[in-house]
Amino acid sequence: MTRRSNRAEVRNPILALPAARLLQAMPADTRTLLAVLLADFAADARRRSRSSWDSRKAFVAAYWATVAVYAGHIARILYRGGRRSATRKPFLVTQKGYPDLVAADWVEASRLYCERRDQLGLGASLYPEALILVGGTPVGRISYNGRIWMPGPWEACDEPLFDNRRADVG
């Protein structure tokens, strides 16, 4: 058996590209935001790959698996020092009149918001929506029902970024 190299550019070939240095030189808040979004993108692509494989759609599964690998490689470049541990809980859930909450992902942000809502027993008219920030940038807002939407006012045609009613959540 041949041992795999421990060199960073072998384990993550994206590091060998000149643009990787530019990604690493971006401001920390921007890197964090992009890293979180790309990690989320990679997780979604892995789910699509598994679903396609289960449906015997091998070429589509291979496509989504490749997307997941590249998104993950780029996300790891963006995390400080190449490790995710520095931003393990990058989501900041802010709510007027309440202490901020920190979460690792959409699922945890929704869950923490709903737990606080249930503990307080306030109705929709008294319990405020929350804003989700990553690296100081608004990336979503949580409505009373725990669903996460794009930041800004809700419109009838909007689809949630995260829907806590889905069976595959968590």
Side-chain angles (χ1 to χ4, degrees):
M1 181 164 124
T2 305
R3 292 193 56 171
R4 189 166 173 212
S5 174
N6 283 330
R7 289 189 353 237
E9 63 276 2
V10 172
R11 294 213 171 261
N12 185 346
I14 302 294
L15 282 168
L17 302 175
R21 289 191 305 275
L22 292 172
L23 289 174
Q24 291 173 320
M26 291 187 327
D29 284 354
T30 304
R31 281 196 331 265
T32 299
L33 175 61
L34 288 173
V36 165
L37 296 176
L38 281 163
D40 198 47
F41 191 61
D44 284 343
R46 279 191 298 278
R47 280 191 289 277
R48 286 175 183 253
S49 177
R50 280 191 298 274
S51 175
S52 296
W53 187 255
D54 291 346
S55 301
R56 300 183 187 272
K57 297 176 183 174
F59 290 110
V60 176
Y63 169 80
W64 284 114
T66 303
V67 168
V69 168
Y70 279 104
H73 279 320
I74 297 167
R76 280 186 288 286
I77 288 171
L78 292 163
Y79 282 116
R80 177 178 215 114
R83 290 192 164 82
R84 186 175 178 164
S85 61
T87 55
R88 181 151 285 147
K89 296 216 176 204
F91 287 68
L92 183 67
V93 180
T94 65
Q95 215 177 349
K96 193 173 190 170
Y98 298 95
D100 293 344
L101 302 167
V102 291
D105 53 25
W106 305 109
V107 176
E108 187 176 17
S110 175
R111 181 183 55 76
L112 290 170
Y113 174 88
C114 290
E115 284 176 0
R116 179 185 280 169
R117 177 200 65 205
D118 296 343
Q119 286 173 352
L120 295 172
L122 298 174
S125 62
L126 296 175
Y127 191 64
E129 289 188 341
L131 186 64
I132 301 175
L133 305 172
V134 172
T137 302
V139 295
R141 63 179 177 75
I142 309 176
S143 59
Y144 182 79
N145 57 18
R147 287 187 210 113
I148 301 175
W149 308 87
M150 291 289 290
W154 182 82
E155 295 181 19
C157 61
D158 286 351
E159 292 284 327
L161 293 171
F162 171 78
D163 191 341
N164 58 351
R165 298 174 299 176
R166 285 193 359 224
D168 61 347
V169 168

